[in-house]
Amino acid sequence: MTGIIIRNLSDQLVDLVRDRILAGNVEQDRAIRQDALAAELGVSKIPLREALTRLEQEGLLRSRANHGYFVRELTIDEAEEVYALRLRLEPDVAALAATHATEAERETATRTLARLDAATNAHGDGVGAFNRAFHLALLRPSRQPITTTMLERLHVLGERYVRKHLEPLGRDQRANDEHARLLDRWLARDAAAVRDAMYAHIEQTVLDLRSQFQPDAPSA
């Protein structure tokens, strides 16, 4: 096999294919070539098909009868739904986490933001994954595993929208600044300020996405 250790083959395949989708390395308008992908990964088609089925359940793929699996297209309707749910949950969870975080968790959040800033400034791959890791670092200390797991799934669904959001010139620096302010408030354990900053950050992202998907629509 090429690069796959038999830990849990199905889980590893899900992670590998998910990462490719989120990085934009799988075309949306072309069926996934299962034979070629299985050969590249050094696996049979059966576990690969199981992984594709799980990714369809996660909302990243869709299947067409007799045509196979396709990456779901980006739509403003899906973005609105993902970010509406994040707005309902994430500000309160981040605020709670700020008051519960241990020193080790605070150091993890600080290091993760540094990695995100470096990836963003380099305009390289992995910005979406580092963005997700930073947000989850601000959420996990809440000690609310069910809600955090739900938010993690929303971040996975939203990761391709993060990449789209950062396309216009200057967006990456603004995102860096917003994340820095958010972390400052989180490290200060100022729950109210964290809640407000997180809400504003998520809300601005969805407002930007609306303008990208519907450039001629009147502003709210």
Side-chain angles (χ1 to χ4, degrees):
M1 290 189 182
T2 55
I4 297 181
I5 300 170
I6 304 293
R7 170 178 54 85
N8 182 318
L9 183 57
S10 179
D11 288 344
Q12 290 198 20
L13 285 172
V14 169
D15 291 342
L16 283 168
V17 180
R18 183 196 295 117
D19 288 346
R20 292 184 179 212
I21 294 169
L22 296 179
N25 295 328
V26 184
E27 296 181 62
Q28 292 186 32
D29 57 352
R30 185 174 300 177
I32 293 174
R33 297 179 58 203
Q34 296 183 42
D35 288 335
L37 184 56
E40 181 182 345
L41 297 176
V43 299
S44 71
K45 288 180 61 177
I46 293 175
L48 177 60
R49 193 176 299 114
E50 292 174 355
L52 296 177
T53 298
R54 286 174 58 182
L55 290 168
E56 182 180 23
Q57 293 168 349
E58 286 187 10
L60 290 176
L61 296 177
R62 57 187 172 84
S63 59
R64 294 180 186 171
N66 303 318
H67 289 84
Y69 289 89
F70 296 76
V71 175
R72 286 174 59 91
E73 62 275 12
L74 297 177
T75 67
I76 186 56
D77 288 340
E78 181 178 79
E80 293 276 6
E81 185 173 1
V82 168
Y83 282 88
L85 288 168
R86 283 186 58 192
L87 280 170
R88 290 190 179 200
L89 297 172
E90 197 161 341
D92 285 338
V93 176
L96 180 63
T99 65
H100 284 59
T102 64
E103 285 306 312
E105 289 167 331
R106 288 154 64 85
E107 291 172 6
T108 295
T110 302
R111 285 196 307 270
T112 305
L113 179 58
R115 295 191 185 105
L116 170 58
D117 285 350
T120 303
N121 292 335
H123 305 287
D125 294 334
V127 172
F130 280 119
N131 179 79
R132 171 165 38 117
F134 172 65
H135 277 264
L136 291 172
L138 300 186
L139 299 174
R140 289 196 175 104
S142 67
R143 314 289 184 255
Q144 294 191 325
I146 295 174
T147 307
T148 302
T149 297
M150 293 173 63
L151 282 165
E152 184 171 7
R153 181 170 180 181
L154 290 172
H155 273 279
V156 169
L157 287 172
E159 192 164 313
R160 291 186 299 152
Y161 293 98
V162 170
R163 290 175 56 248
K164 183 174 182 62
H165 171 255
L166 294 176
E167 287 174 358
L169 188 65
R171 284 270 177 84
D172 50 1
Q173 185 56 55
R174 194 188 76 192
N176 282 357
D177 294 342
E178 290 178 4
H179 286 144
R181 287 194 295 271
L182 180 55
L183 180 63
D184 285 345
R185 288 157 175 74
W186 193 85
L187 292 174
R189 302 190 189 277
D190 188 337
V194 169
R195 186 180 296 107
D196 291 344
M198 183 66 84
Y199 192 97
H201 175 58
I202 299 170
E203 183 179 48
Q204 186 59 59
T205 300
V206 76
L207 290 173
D208 291 338
L209 286 168
R210 285 175 192 162
S211 69
Q212 288 172 259
F213 277 100
Q214 303 169 327
D216 298 325
S219 57

